[in-house]
Amino acid sequence: AQSVTQLDSHVSVSEGTPVLLRCNYSSSYSPSLFWYVQHPNKGLQLLLKYTSAATLVKGINGFEAEFKKSETSFHLTKPSAHMSDAAEYFCVVSDPLTGGFKTIFGAGTRLFVKA
Amino acid sequence: DTAVSQTPKYLVTQMGNDKSIKCEQNLGHDTMYWYKQDSKKFLKIMFSYNNKELIINETVPNRFSPKSPDKAHLNLHINSLELGDSAVYFCASSPPDRGRDEQYFGPGTRLTVT
């Protein structure tokens, strides 16, 4: 069975400092992994997607994530936080046995950015 | 030019009532979904539809009945509303060519049952 664990429910950084949001996954198969962002009272937006083409995935707004099979991790990073990055971030794994029709969300990490 | 739209944005109703939430996408996608986000922000898939056919039903109570009149629409009807149904419901769609799991979300419908 697929599962995803976001290791921090809240992360607080200062503007201009690096961001690290941690995600571990469990999958019996080669997974597709995603990061989505949800700004307050908004829908979710896809940040980036891993599908085995390259282990380092670049997304929108300067975010990137590295797939590490040995550690079963897919952590999200950004070199320098901006106030507009404050939002909820979700790590997501797709169940390949369902042909991609079922995705499993992590519990989310709330990112706070201090001025 | 809204990609995935939902109506209404807010819905306040009493226990026992029946209500519907509508979802439309103009992206030409053939797969659509309904998700429920609870008060702790936890997102759980409810249904997946592909070309108007039900693919995934994640043990959702029978009170919830999705209906897809065409590929661009996936509506959610809820009978006999309960307090525990209070949540934000998100509709999403995905294209077949970039992987069905790459999803585009609507803005959500906040349902409050009193």
Side-chain angles (χ1 to χ4, degrees), chain A residues 39-104:
Chain A
H39 287 94
N41 299 313
K42 300 285 186 185
L44 285 81
Q45 181 183 19
L46 180 66
L47 273 180
L48 50 80
K49 172 183 178 180
Y50 166 77
T51 55
S52 77
T55 57
L56 184 62
V57 183
K58 292 189 183 301
I60 62 172
N61 301 335
F63 284 93
E64 61 182 38
E66 187 171 8
F67 174 74
K68 292 187 177 179
K69 187 175 181 179
S70 60
E71 299 176 10
T72 61
S73 69
F74 189 59
H75 300 336
L76 181 70
T77 60
K78 183 173 181 178
S80 175
H82 191 272
M83 295 297 289
S84 60
D85 295 327
E88 191 88 22
Y89 291 80
F90 294 94
C91 183
V92 180
V93 64
S94 174
D95 186 343
L97 293 182
T98 67
F101 289 111
K102 179 179 174 181
T103 51
I104 298 161

